[in-house]
Amino acid sequence: MYFGAIEAGGTKFVCAVSNSQLEVVDQVTIPTTQPEETLQKVFAFFDQYSLQSMGIGSFGPIDSNEQSPTYGFITSTPKSGWKYFDFIGPIQKRWQVPVAWTTDVNAAAFGEFKQGSARNEASCIYLTVGTGIGGGAVVNGKILEGFGHPEMGHVFVRSHREDDYSGSCPYHEHCLEGMASGTAIEDRSGKKAESLANSDPVWKMGAFYLAQALVDYTLVLRPDKIILGGGVMKQAHLLSLIRTSFAQLINEYVAVPPLEQYIVAPGLGDRAGITGCLLLASELEG
Ligand code: ADP
Ligand code: ZN
């Protein structure tokens, strides 16, 4: 028997199968097109295996409230075709297995908590800075959710004094995602984020916005670790700019671990999400 995992992103789906020791035995990447077409490819991959359970970490927003009639759906995404799409219904129907269902960033937080940068901690936050910004938290071994899942990417930030940009988010002005995501960086500068020089002022501004959010998360949750992943964080110099800005903003008001240990890169690299999904699948059996 195998565990199945789907890291469902807006650009691509990563599907993996592991043995009971959580060693990946097969994996495939599928471009995210229309839901039916994408799911047909997902089915074709997993049909080769006898699955015991499945863990799914999806782009969102999603309905993760088990009491809700639309539990297991993607909800108000602007992504064409996916709005109010019942994701886990067809999966449960096809293989009749238990399904763990959460956001992509919650899954990544769980992966990092169990096996990555936060494996010796009691709590962590995982934030992805990519096309959008999203975050999840694990507290005392449990993914943190209330009425719904956290939406850490849409907290409000104060403008940098040299920045007259009001953001790329269609819902809010001056929210973190609108000001510091890859989309925002590219919209503001008119260039690909990876092509901008380290000295470009956009990085200092991005660090300022991300640091503000990390201060807020710190004040609300006091996590043991904050892990920053996603495409934009491939800019290695950004991490130290964020730490510097964080130190200035929090101004020693509360104690935090040394910043090189507190604000860190994912220990599992790009595998945080899919690893978290496999772990969630394995815990369904336990
Ligand atoms: P997604 O968020 O779509 O799941 P990623 O986390 O890879 O995917 O984020 C993609 C975004 O990250 C792109 O919009 C791009 O702006 C940005 N990006 C990717 N690579 C780099 C890089 N080397 N430096 C800066 N930004 C990057
Ligand atoms: Zn927003």
Side-chain angles (χ1 to χ4, degrees), residues 109-110 112-114 117-126 136-144 217-218 221-227 257 261-262 264:
F110 197 69
E112 285 292 316
F113 176 81
K114 289 278 185 178
S117 292
R119 68 188 170 281
N120 298 316
E121 310 292 351
S123 63
C124 72
I125 286 176
Y126 180 94
V138 175
V139 178
N140 295 327
K142 287 219 153 19
I143 289 175
L144 188 73
Y217 307 153
T218 297
L221 280 180
R222 302 298 300 278
D224 291 299
K225 226 174 247 300
I226 299 179
I227 300 153
Q261 294 161 36
Y262 182 54
V264 300

Side-chain angles (χ1 to χ4, degrees), residues 12-272:
K12 63 181 194 303
F13 274 39
V14 179
C15 302
V17 165
S18 84
N19 60 21
S20 53
Q21 278 77 52
L22 295 179
E23 293 156 345
V24 173
V25 296
D26 199 0
Q27 182 172 311
V28 71
T29 299
I30 295 165
T32 312
T33 55
Q34 287 300 301
E36 291 71 23
E37 184 186 19
T38 312
L39 270 200
Q40 284 313 315
K41 292 182 179 155
V42 169
F43 288 163
F45 174 70
F46 287 111
D47 275 349
Q48 304 173 85
Y49 298 94
S50 171
L51 296 178
Q52 189 169 334
S53 58
M54 171 78 87
I56 305 174
S58 174
F59 72 93
I62 68 169
D63 188 341
S64 55
N65 181 343
E66 289 187 43
Q67 310 311 321
S68 160
T70 51
Y71 174 72
F73 284 45
I74 291 180
T75 61
S76 52
T77 178
K79 198 165 172 55
S80 157
W82 291 85
K83 201 175 227 179
Y84 292 99
F85 176 69
D86 178 6
F87 198 133
I88 69 171
I91 299 234
Q92 279 168 328
K93 201 164 146 206
R94 189 155 186 107
W95 298 300
Q96 323 258 314
V97 291
V99 174
W101 167 248
T102 193
T103 60
D104 46 3
V105 279
N106 275 346
F110 197 69
E112 285 292 316
F113 176 81
K114 289 278 185 178
Q115 295 190 356
S117 292
R119 68 188 170 281
N120 298 316
E121 310 292 351
S123 63
C124 72
I125 286 176
Y126 180 94
L127 194 75
T128 184
V129 189
T131 308
I133 298 182
V138 175
V139 178
N140 295 327
K142 287 219 153 19
I143 289 175
L144 188 73
E145 298 220 13
F147 183 72
H149 58 80
E151 280 286 357
M152 299 190 192
H154 294 266
V155 296
F156 294 99
V157 292
R158 228 187 302 146
S159 273
H160 190 279
R161 60 183 183 286
E162 288 158 29
D163 193 7
D164 56 10
Y165 184 67
S166 64
S168 62
C169 173
Y171 289 90
H172 320 108
E173 289 196 340
H174 301 110
C175 76
L176 178 66
E177 175 172 299
M179 299 301 278
S181 62
T183 308
I185 291 168
E186 295 180 359
D187 186 34
R188 190 194 271 115
S189 65
K191 295 185 194 140
K192 282 264 162 220
E194 45 269 61
S195 71
L196 295 168
N198 286 8
S199 58
D200 196 292
V202 87
W203 298 121
K204 247 193 174 143
M205 289 177 192
F208 175 65
Y209 297 130
L210 287 161
Q212 285 185 53
L214 302 199
V215 166
D216 289 350
Y217 307 153
T218 297
L219 296 174
V220 173
L221 280 180
R222 302 298 300 278
D224 291 299
K225 226 174 247 300
I226 299 179
I227 300 153
L228 300 178
V232 173
M233 294 311 300
K234 299 231 152 84
Q235 295 285 324
H237 66 111
L238 194 53
L239 207 50
S240 64
L241 290 178
I242 294 168
R243 290 184 189 127
T244 304
S245 192
F246 179 93
Q248 285 164 357
L249 290 166
I250 205 158
N251 200 18
E252 297 183 346
Y253 177 61
V254 292
V256 291
L259 293 187
E260 302 69 43
Q261 294 161 36
Y262 182 54
I263 301 171
V264 300
L268 299 171
D270 290 339
R271 299 202 59 81

